[in-house]
Amino acid sequence: GVGFVPQDRHHQGYVAQMSVADNGTLTIPDRLGRAGFIDGRRRDGLARAMIGNLAIKTPGPELPVSGLSGGNQQKVVMARALANDPKLLVLINPTAGVDVRSKEFLLGKVGEIAESGAGVLVASDELDDLRRCDRVLVVFQGRVVAEIPRGWHDHQLVAAMEGVDLDG
Protein backbone atom coordinates (compact mmCIF):
# COMPACT_ATOMS: atom_id res chain seq x y z
CA GLY A 1 0.00 0.00 0.00
CA VAL A 2 3.02 2.33 -0.12
CA GLY A 3 4.59 3.78 -3.26
CA PHE A 4 8.15 5.10 -2.97
CA VAL A 5 10.20 7.48 -5.12
CA PRO A 6 13.78 7.46 -3.81
CA GLN A 7 16.14 10.41 -3.75
CA ASP A 8 18.63 9.01 -6.26
CA ARG A 9 16.82 7.60 -9.27
CA HIS A 10 20.10 6.52 -10.91
CA HIS A 11 21.16 4.19 -8.10
CA GLN A 12 17.90 3.41 -6.29
CA GLY A 13 15.03 4.21 -8.63
CA TYR A 14 15.39 2.03 -11.70
CA VAL A 15 17.49 -0.62 -13.39
CA ALA A 16 19.09 1.27 -16.28
CA GLN A 17 19.40 -1.57 -18.80
CA MET A 18 15.92 -2.95 -18.14
CA SER A 19 13.02 -1.73 -20.24
CA VAL A 20 10.49 0.93 -19.37
CA ALA A 21 7.91 -1.88 -19.07
CA ASP A 22 10.04 -3.99 -16.73
CA ASN A 23 10.95 -1.03 -14.51
CA GLY A 24 7.40 0.28 -14.36
CA THR A 25 5.99 -3.07 -13.30
CA LEU A 26 8.69 -4.23 -10.85
CA THR A 27 6.35 -3.78 -7.88
CA ILE A 28 3.43 -5.75 -9.32
CA PRO A 29 4.68 -9.16 -10.51
CA ASP A 30 1.48 -10.79 -9.21
CA ARG A 31 -0.53 -8.80 -11.78
CA LEU A 32 1.69 -9.93 -14.67
CA GLY A 33 1.14 -13.66 -14.61
CA ARG A 34 0.83 -16.76 -12.49
CA ALA A 35 3.33 -19.00 -10.73
CA GLY A 36 6.15 -16.50 -11.20
CA PHE A 37 5.81 -16.36 -14.99
CA ILE A 38 5.40 -12.94 -16.58
CA ASP A 39 2.99 -12.51 -19.45
CA GLY A 40 4.84 -10.08 -21.73
CA ARG A 41 1.64 -8.84 -23.37
CA ARG A 42 0.05 -8.11 -20.00
CA ARG A 43 3.23 -6.35 -18.82
CA ASP A 44 3.44 -4.26 -21.99
CA GLY A 45 -0.26 -3.38 -21.78
CA LEU A 46 0.13 -2.13 -18.22
CA ALA A 47 3.30 -0.29 -19.26
CA ARG A 48 1.53 1.42 -22.17
CA ALA A 49 -1.15 2.62 -19.73
CA MET A 50 1.59 3.98 -17.43
CA ILE A 51 3.32 5.64 -20.39
CA GLY A 52 0.08 7.35 -21.34
CA ASN A 53 -0.90 8.30 -17.78
CA LEU A 54 2.49 9.87 -17.03
CA ALA A 55 3.21 11.19 -20.55
CA ILE A 56 6.50 9.31 -20.74
CA LYS A 57 8.22 10.16 -24.01
CA THR A 58 9.42 6.81 -25.34
CA PRO A 59 9.06 5.00 -28.66
CA GLY A 60 7.71 2.01 -26.76
CA PRO A 61 7.72 0.02 -23.54
CA GLU A 62 10.69 -2.08 -24.68
CA LEU A 63 13.20 0.82 -24.64
CA PRO A 64 15.80 0.61 -21.84
CA VAL A 65 15.26 3.35 -19.25
CA SER A 66 18.87 4.48 -19.84
CA GLY A 67 17.72 5.72 -23.28
CA LEU A 68 15.31 8.26 -21.77
CA SER A 69 15.84 11.86 -20.65
CA GLY A 70 16.16 12.55 -16.91
CA GLY A 71 12.58 13.77 -16.65
CA ASN A 72 11.24 10.68 -18.39
CA GLN A 73 13.39 8.42 -16.23
CA GLN A 74 11.84 10.07 -13.18
CA LYS A 75 8.38 9.50 -14.65
CA VAL A 76 9.20 5.78 -14.95
CA VAL A 77 10.20 5.76 -11.27
CA MET A 78 6.90 7.48 -10.46
CA ALA A 79 5.03 4.95 -12.60
CA ARG A 80 6.56 2.10 -10.62
CA ALA A 81 5.62 3.82 -7.35
CA LEU A 82 2.03 4.22 -8.53
CA ALA A 83 1.66 0.77 -10.11
CA ASN A 84 0.17 -0.84 -7.00
CA ASP A 85 -2.35 2.00 -6.41
CA PRO A 86 -0.75 3.04 -3.11
CA LYS A 87 -2.64 4.49 -0.17
CA LEU A 88 0.55 6.39 0.75
CA LEU A 89 3.11 7.87 -1.62
CA VAL A 90 6.54 8.74 -0.17
CA LEU A 91 8.70 11.03 -2.30
CA ILE A 92 12.29 12.04 -1.57
CA ASN A 93 13.40 15.05 -3.66
CA PRO A 94 10.98 13.97 -6.42
CA THR A 95 11.98 16.61 -8.98
CA ALA A 96 15.75 16.71 -8.51
CA GLY A 97 17.56 16.85 -11.83
CA VAL A 98 14.51 17.12 -14.08
CA ASP A 99 13.56 19.88 -16.52
CA VAL A 100 10.93 22.49 -15.66
CA ARG A 101 8.20 20.89 -17.78
CA SER A 102 8.71 17.45 -16.21
CA LYS A 103 8.86 19.05 -12.75
CA GLU A 104 5.50 20.76 -13.26
CA PHE A 105 3.96 17.58 -14.67
CA LEU A 106 5.24 15.38 -11.82
CA LEU A 107 4.08 17.82 -9.15
CA GLY A 108 0.69 18.05 -10.84
CA LYS A 109 0.44 14.25 -10.77
CA VAL A 110 1.34 14.26 -7.06
CA GLY A 111 -1.47 16.77 -6.51
CA GLU A 112 -3.92 14.49 -8.33
CA ILE A 113 -2.86 11.57 -6.17
CA ALA A 114 -3.38 13.58 -2.98
CA GLU A 115 -6.78 14.77 -4.21
CA SER A 116 -7.79 11.16 -4.86
CA GLY A 117 -7.46 10.47 -1.13
CA ALA A 118 -4.01 8.91 -0.92
CA GLY A 119 -1.57 10.29 1.64
CA VAL A 120 1.53 11.97 0.26
CA LEU A 121 4.74 12.54 2.21
CA VAL A 122 7.37 14.70 0.52
CA ALA A 123 10.91 15.11 1.87
CA SER A 124 12.68 17.82 -0.08
CA ASP A 125 14.69 21.00 0.14
CA GLU A 126 13.18 22.24 -3.14
CA LEU A 127 10.53 24.86 -2.40
CA ASP A 128 8.52 23.93 -5.51
CA ASP A 129 8.21 20.35 -4.23
CA LEU A 130 6.66 21.67 -1.01
CA ARG A 131 4.20 24.29 -2.32
CA ARG A 132 1.24 21.87 -2.55
CA CYS A 133 1.76 20.46 0.94
CA ASP A 134 -0.89 21.04 3.60
CA ARG A 135 1.91 21.59 6.08
CA VAL A 136 5.69 21.55 6.14
CA LEU A 137 7.79 20.27 9.00
CA VAL A 138 11.27 21.81 8.94
CA VAL A 139 14.10 19.68 10.28
CA PHE A 140 17.30 21.49 11.26
CA GLN A 141 20.27 19.66 12.77
CA GLY A 142 18.13 16.57 13.34
CA ARG A 143 15.25 18.32 15.14
CA VAL A 144 11.86 19.54 13.98
CA VAL A 145 12.22 23.30 14.40
CA ALA A 146 9.08 24.54 12.66
CA GLU A 147 5.67 23.44 11.49
CA ILE A 148 4.39 25.74 8.77
CA PRO A 149 0.86 25.52 7.34
CA ARG A 150 -0.07 25.83 3.67
CA GLY A 151 0.24 29.36 2.30
CA TRP A 152 3.78 30.04 3.55
CA HIS A 153 6.08 32.58 1.92
CA ASP A 154 9.47 31.57 0.56
CA HIS A 155 11.44 33.73 3.00
CA GLN A 156 9.58 32.19 5.94
CA LEU A 157 10.37 28.63 4.93
CA VAL A 158 13.97 29.35 3.89
CA ALA A 159 14.65 31.07 7.22
CA ALA A 160 13.31 28.05 9.10
CA MET A 161 15.41 25.73 6.91
CA GLU A 162 18.50 27.77 7.79
CA GLY A 163 17.69 27.80 11.49
CA VAL A 164 16.69 31.47 11.64
CA ASP A 165 13.70 32.46 13.77
CA LEU A 166 11.94 35.38 12.08
CA ASP A 167 9.45 35.76 14.94
CA GLY A 168 12.03 36.06 17.72
Side-chain angles (χ1 to χ4, degrees), residues 2-44:
V2 177
F4 179 62
V5 175
Q7 179 172 345
D8 183 351
R9 72 173 172 266
H10 301 290
H11 295 102
Q12 301 167 320
Y14 60 81
V15 181
Q17 297 310 315
M18 286 176 59
S19 70
V20 170
D22 288 332
N23 272 280
T25 58
L26 277 173
T27 59
I28 55 168
D30 54 315
R31 289 176 45 194
L32 302 179
R34 296 191 325 210
F37 292 98
I38 293 176
D39 179 336
R41 287 180 294 177
R42 187 177 297 171
R43 179 202 57 216
D44 289 351

Side-chain angles (χ1 to χ4, degrees), residues 39-143:
D39 179 336
R41 287 180 294 177
R42 187 177 297 171
R43 179 202 57 216
D44 289 351
L46 287 169
R48 281 188 179 83
M50 292 174 182
I51 289 166
N53 184 37
L54 288 164
I56 300 169
K57 290 183 177 37
T58 179
E62 68 285 342
L63 184 75
V65 173
S66 60
L68 300 175
S69 69
N72 285 297
Q73 290 173 349
Q74 190 71 351
K75 289 177 181 180
V76 170
V77 174
M78 181 73 80
R80 187 205 65 232
L82 298 175
N84 66 350
D85 301 316
K87 302 281 186 253
L88 172 64
L89 183 62
V90 178
L91 308 149
I92 313 295
N93 290 329
T95 64
V98 302
D99 61 272
V100 173
R101 185 174 297 163
S102 293
K103 178 185 276 198
E104 290 173 359
F105 182 87
L106 287 165
L107 293 175
K109 191 57 68 176
V110 170
E112 288 175 21
I113 293 159
E115 289 172 15
S116 76
V120 178
L121 175 66
V122 179
S124 182
D125 55 3
E126 291 279 333
L127 299 184
D128 288 339
D129 292 352
L130 304 172
R131 290 196 197 287
R132 296 173 190 254
C133 296
D134 293 324
R135 65 186 175 135
V136 177
L137 298 177
V138 179
V139 178
F140 183 76
Q141 295 183 342
R143 293 182 311 112

